[in-house]
Amino acid sequence: MFQRHLQQFYSVVLYDCETCTLTLRDEHRLRVFENKVLRKIFGTKRDEVTGERRKLHNTELHALYSSPDIIRNIKSRRLRWAGHVARIGESRNAYRVLVGRPEGKRPLWRPRRRWENNIKMDLRELGYDDRDWINLAQDRDQWRAYVRAAVNLRPLSRLGMMSRGKWILFLNSTISVQEYFANIYVPVDCEFLVTREAEDSGFDVTLVEVYRPSSSAPLQVHPVANWSATRGMLWTSVTLLNRRKDLHGVCIKAAMIHDVS
């Protein structure tokens, strides 16, 4: 039910967002508005200490709704439209507006943020720091990778927003799990499942769990379940604690408090 409400919400808010120029203040206001809508959908939570109903915190909202936030969706759609405009050719008005330079003097004080500035900032977040992004957009496959990365997991992992969440990813069989998560830190305190087409196992789909004990540790991949149309879902008998008992040299500080009262 809440997915239908979210689709209606995003269809209204994201209308014509490809051409919007957002400042940091605008992004903050959109995030606040999105969290307000999510709190309306998910409701309140009973506090474990006081026993009273209270609003959900932002971290709890991210754990319940693990999809990319509204800003990531806007940046992905904006990059998709920018690539389209950069490839349509000089005869189209949209391209002329993009590369054209208005005549006259610029007004005093700092110039306003332009739409192209947003594109360059979005690409800089994804690791591309070259000014000539129009030539980059001519390569459809490479530009499509940046569009997907804008709404993907790499920016979320860099911001530390994947902890204490539950994630599921449907991965294409053309890329391996190790290649996809090469620069993505999946913390050990979140549950991340990856589904993909099974390879010569008698099943149609295989389900694996991925995580890293630390940001520099190798990616850990553990099979969790297999599924087929005839046999259904077959889960592994290995528990979560046994799958994650090896921290590969990572030290965890812990303390035990005795109740002396």
Side-chain angles (χ1 to χ4, degrees):
M1 177 64 70
F2 77 92
Q3 289 289 350
R4 181 169 60 85
H5 293 307
L6 286 176
Q7 290 177 0
Q8 296 175 353
F9 162 68
Y10 284 121
S11 63
V12 174
V13 178
L14 298 179
Y15 179 76
D16 202 24
C17 67
E18 294 86 352
T19 59
C20 293
T21 301
L22 298 180
T23 62
L24 294 179
R25 180 183 179 185
D26 296 332
E27 293 182 1
H28 174 72
R29 295 174 65 181
L30 283 172
R31 286 195 176 98
V32 171
F33 177 65
E34 182 185 33
N35 290 338
K36 182 178 180 180
V37 173
L38 291 177
R39 287 190 177 93
K40 287 287 186 180
I41 295 176
F42 290 112
T44 58
K45 176 182 178 181
R46 186 176 299 278
D47 193 278
E48 298 179 356
V49 179
T50 62
E52 299 179 353
R53 306 294 298 186
R54 63 171 177 82
K55 294 182 179 179
L56 293 172
H57 301 311
N58 290 344
T59 55
E60 296 171 334
L61 288 176
H62 295 155
L64 290 173
Y65 182 67
S66 56
S67 298
D69 62 14
I70 188 172
I71 303 301
R72 301 247 64 88
N73 280 286
I74 291 177
K75 292 183 177 182
S76 178
R77 295 188 180 197
R78 190 163 51 198
L79 286 176
R80 184 184 295 111
W81 172 247
H84 172 70
V85 173
R87 291 189 299 267
I88 59 178
E90 300 179 358
S91 60
R92 305 293 292 271
N93 291 333
Y95 183 85
R96 294 174 182 174
V97 173
L98 174 63
V99 300
R101 293 293 181 266
E103 299 179 356
K105 292 184 178 180
R106 178 176 294 178
L108 298 177
W109 312 113
R110 181 179 65 86
R112 290 186 176 183
R113 179 178 294 183
R114 299 178 300 170
W115 180 80
E116 188 176 4
N117 297 136
N118 280 143
I119 299 299
K120 293 179 179 179
M121 292 178 62
D122 297 341
L123 291 173
R124 195 176 298 117
E125 290 182 2
L126 302 175
Y128 182 81
D129 203 14
D130 195 349
R131 294 178 179 272
D132 193 6
W133 62 271
I134 296 181
N135 288 335
L136 174 67
Q138 306 306 317
D139 188 343
R140 290 178 179 270
D141 294 334
Q142 189 175 5
W143 188 260
R144 189 179 296 112
Y146 280 103
V147 172
R148 293 174 178 175
V151 73
N152 216 324
L153 303 173
R154 191 173 292 108
L156 298 180
S157 65
R158 188 183 298 117
L159 295 174
M161 298 174 60
M162 297 177 61
S163 298
R164 294 180 294 178
K166 296 182 179 180
W167 305 76
I168 184 168
L169 171 68
F170 298 90
L171 187 62
N172 195 312
S173 59
T174 58
I175 184 174
S176 65
V177 177
Q178 287 76 9
E179 291 175 349
Y180 186 87
F181 289 92
N183 299 318
I184 299 177
Y185 172 48
V186 182
V188 71
D189 61 345
C190 80
E191 300 179 38
F192 202 114
L193 301 179
V194 179
T195 65
R196 58 181 307 164
E197 184 179 352
E199 299 178 357
D200 301 332
S201 60
F203 290 89
D204 300 328
V205 177
T206 182
L207 190 66
V208 298
E209 178 189 41
V210 298
Y211 71 95
R212 293 182 188 273
S214 66
S215 58
S216 59
L219 182 70
Q220 303 300 309
V221 182
H222 299 288
V224 176
N226 292 295
W227 178 87
S228 68
T230 57
R231 303 169 63 180
M233 184 72 77
L234 180 62
W235 294 90
T236 180
S237 59
V238 183
T239 62
L240 176 65
L241 293 178
N242 287 330
R243 292 197 304 268
R244 302 194 179 188
K245 63 181 180 181
D246 188 359
L247 296 180
H248 297 267
V250 177
C251 298
I252 297 180
K253 296 182 180 180
M256 181 178 295
I257 300 177
H258 296 280
D259 189 2
V260 296
S261 57

